[in-house]
Amino acid sequence: MATLLLRAGSISAFDYRCAAGPADKPFVELHDGFSVSYVRKGSFGYRARGKSFELVAGSILVGYPGDEYMCTHEHACGDECLSFVLAPALVETIDAEIASGRPDIWRTGCVPPLPRLVVMGELAQAAAEGTSAVGLDEIGILFAARFVEIVSGRKHEPPEAGARDRRCAVEAALWIDEHSHEPLDLDGTAREVGLSPFYFLRLFARVLGVTPHQYLVRSRLRHAARLLAEGTSSVTDVAFDVGFGDLSNFVRTFHRAAGVSPREFRRTAKGDRRIFQDRLSARSQSDKKRATQPQEPSGERKEGAEGQCRMGTEPDTRKPQAAGSYERRECGEEDHLRQCAGPEPSARRGQQLSVAPAQPFAAAQHPVERGDRQQGQKAERRAQRMIHQLFRIQQGSSDQTDDEEG
């Protein structure tokens, strides 16, 4: 089953879910265009141009237009993939920028799970689910560029932005702010400044520190805050007037940014300060409670069985000071393991060891679903650092709030 997630001028995104198993007969299919697909779940076999590949979670399937292929499920049932289909012009731009025009890269067939691609794939999945600050079209282009960079073995370092590039990025930001109430995408904005989507995305982020999608959402939030503070329109009207296509999306995004709902923000702007005062009071009480909790000083000797000590210090019996007291010296990790681990296994033979059962990894839960704004800000800062790393820019010190696609 294929679900269309995005269709833009230069890139499209699909969610593929297959339930085939070993008993199902494979059939021949055809790649319609250049594509990179991230396998997020399951396993399947891939046969193309006389080669066979086995893909598991984290693998990348690479499609070349016109190539026939066949997928098999001999070992497991079902798989799920996030697939990006790229226009030839975009592929040509990426290849020229990074790989110096090597179309054979797109006939790789399959790429094994690699750390630099896996993290990008998960970021793309978060964007597809609406829990990332990056637009799905933006991360799709970056994902394809990262694939080309890895397979070609050439790390592309973009040049420093000159005065003309900086002016272009600023003019684009002004245009986005002026038209933020309209449906905008990366392709349309890039056309306004006469650049390719790939080059414009990297230039904008390198100069301004945020992606075009992030700037668009924050511009909409800024206009919404002004309308809520000064106007009398309903929250629903404000959401649609500033460019959000969904009311629940607007409420979640605004609450994540302001810490209160749009309705509470309006009440506060009209003079009701009790909302923020209550929140500050609750936070102050929480801080006091944590401050009054007793904390065991680090480096203090741990009471217990003879020969046991805490990492960092241990008693030195070679230099007694007074009866019952010892001088302390630093205990390194190796000393701790050798001298402080207690009796040898032979001495403990016959004792029943208590081993805690292994705990499964907890399912990932988005900070907004937990209602924890502080955790949401931490997640946003981690995502922002990843975005900054992708564009080779230095991260600013200001706090960023987690934005969704408007």
Side-chain angles (χ1 to χ4, degrees):
M1 181 179 67
T3 303
L4 177 65
L5 303 177
L6 166 74
R7 187 182 296 280
S10 60
I11 188 170
S12 300
F14 296 88
D15 181 86
Y16 286 102
R17 296 170 186 261
C18 177
D24 295 296
K25 184 178 180 180
F27 55 92
V28 177
E29 301 178 71
L30 185 71
H31 285 295
D32 295 329
F34 295 98
S35 65
V36 283
S37 303
Y38 174 68
V39 183
R40 68 171 180 268
K41 185 178 180 181
S43 171
F44 62 95
Y46 176 76
R47 300 174 184 173
R49 299 183 308 278
K51 296 181 180 180
S52 297
F53 306 91
E54 297 294 335
L55 290 89
V56 294
S59 300
I60 310 298
L61 176 64
V62 185
Y64 188 87
D67 278 0
E68 293 183 346
Y69 68 96
M70 182 183 297
C71 292
T72 62
H73 293 81
E74 301 174 355
H75 311 295
C77 293
D79 62 87
E80 297 180 8
C81 299
L82 176 62
S83 179
F84 294 100
V85 180
L86 290 74
L90 177 59
V91 172
E92 184 178 349
T93 303
I94 295 176
D95 289 347
E97 284 280 332
I98 300 177
S100 301
R102 285 184 52 191
D104 59 300
I105 289 176
W106 293 89
R107 286 196 161 176
T108 303
C110 171
V111 179
L114 300 176
R116 295 176 63 197
L117 285 175
V118 167
V119 294
M120 289 285 288
E122 290 302 322
L123 183 59
Q125 184 60 40
E129 296 171 356
T131 59
S132 171
V134 190
L136 185 56
D137 51 355
E138 295 174 343
I139 191 60
I141 293 176
L142 294 175
F143 185 61
R146 175 64 60 85
F147 152 73
V148 173
E149 183 179 280
I150 290 176
V151 175
S152 65
R154 299 185 180 184
K155 189 175 181 180
H156 178 65
E157 294 289 347
E160 288 293 329
R164 181 179 178 181
D165 290 335
R166 293 180 176 275
R167 182 171 62 252
C168 179
V170 171
E171 290 175 353
L174 295 175
W175 187 87
I176 291 174
D177 186 60
E178 183 180 354
H179 297 82
S180 60
H181 61 284
E182 303 174 6
L184 301 180
D185 59 17
L186 183 63
D187 287 76
T189 309
R191 280 196 301 270
E192 288 294 326
V193 294
L195 298 175
S196 69
F198 175 64
Y199 186 81
F200 170 68
L201 172 60
R202 294 164 69 94
L203 173 65
F204 192 97
R206 194 162 70 247
V207 173
L208 299 180
V210 293
T211 68
H213 177 80
Q214 289 176 313
Y215 185 77
L216 171 64
V217 173
R218 292 165 193 181
S219 179
R220 289 172 175 170
L221 287 174
R222 183 165 50 83
H223 293 310
R226 184 177 303 170
L227 290 176
L228 290 170
E230 300 175 356
T232 58
S233 300
S234 66
V235 173
T236 302
D237 290 340
V238 169
F240 287 104
D241 287 345
V242 300
F244 282 90
D246 179 74
L247 178 61
S248 60
N249 183 19
F250 167 68
V251 173
R252 288 195 306 270
T253 306
F254 191 93
H255 190 282
R256 202 178 302 164
V260 294
S261 68
R263 193 179 303 276
E264 291 174 328
F265 180 85
R266 166 170 282 171
R267 286 171 50 195
T268 304
K270 299 299 183 183
D272 187 354
R273 300 183 178 181
R274 289 175 298 174
I275 298 172
F276 285 127
Q277 289 174 350
D278 292 344
R279 290 180 177 272
L280 290 175
S281 176
R283 179 172 294 183
S284 177
Q285 292 177 2
S286 177
D287 292 341
K288 289 180 179 179
K289 185 177 180 180
R290 286 197 300 267
T292 56
Q293 290 179 349
Q295 296 182 357
E296 189 177 359
S298 61
E300 188 172 284
R301 183 178 179 181
K302 180 181 179 182
E303 299 296 334
E306 183 180 359
Q308 299 289 330
C309 79
R310 180 177 302 279
M311 178 73 76
T313 61
E314 68 169 345
D316 188 355
T317 57
R318 295 172 300 177
K319 297 180 180 179
Q321 293 179 340
S325 65
Y326 296 90
E327 190 176 304
R328 300 184 184 276
R329 64 180 177 85
E330 291 302 314
C331 172
E333 182 176 0
E334 183 178 352
D335 294 330
H336 178 85
L337 295 175
R338 186 179 63 251
Q339 300 177 12
C340 311
E344 293 293 327
S346 58
R348 300 194 300 267
R349 191 169 299 163
Q351 297 181 6
Q352 184 177 2
L353 298 180
S354 176
V355 181
Q359 297 294 329
F361 287 103
Q365 185 180 19
H366 193 257
V368 175
E369 296 175 357
R370 295 195 303 264
D372 191 337
R373 178 170 176 263
Q374 184 178 7
Q375 292 297 326
Q377 289 178 338
K378 291 181 179 179
E380 165 62 12
R381 285 195 291 270
R382 287 195 296 269
Q384 191 68 27
R385 284 196 294 269
M386 179 179 288
I387 294 167
H388 285 195
Q389 224 175 17
L390 297 176
F391 295 110
R392 280 94 171 175
I393 61 176
Q394 293 184 350
Q395 177 182 354
S397 58
S398 61
D399 273 342
Q400 304 288 348
T401 58
D402 197 4
D403 304 324
E404 289 190 16
E405 182 177 358

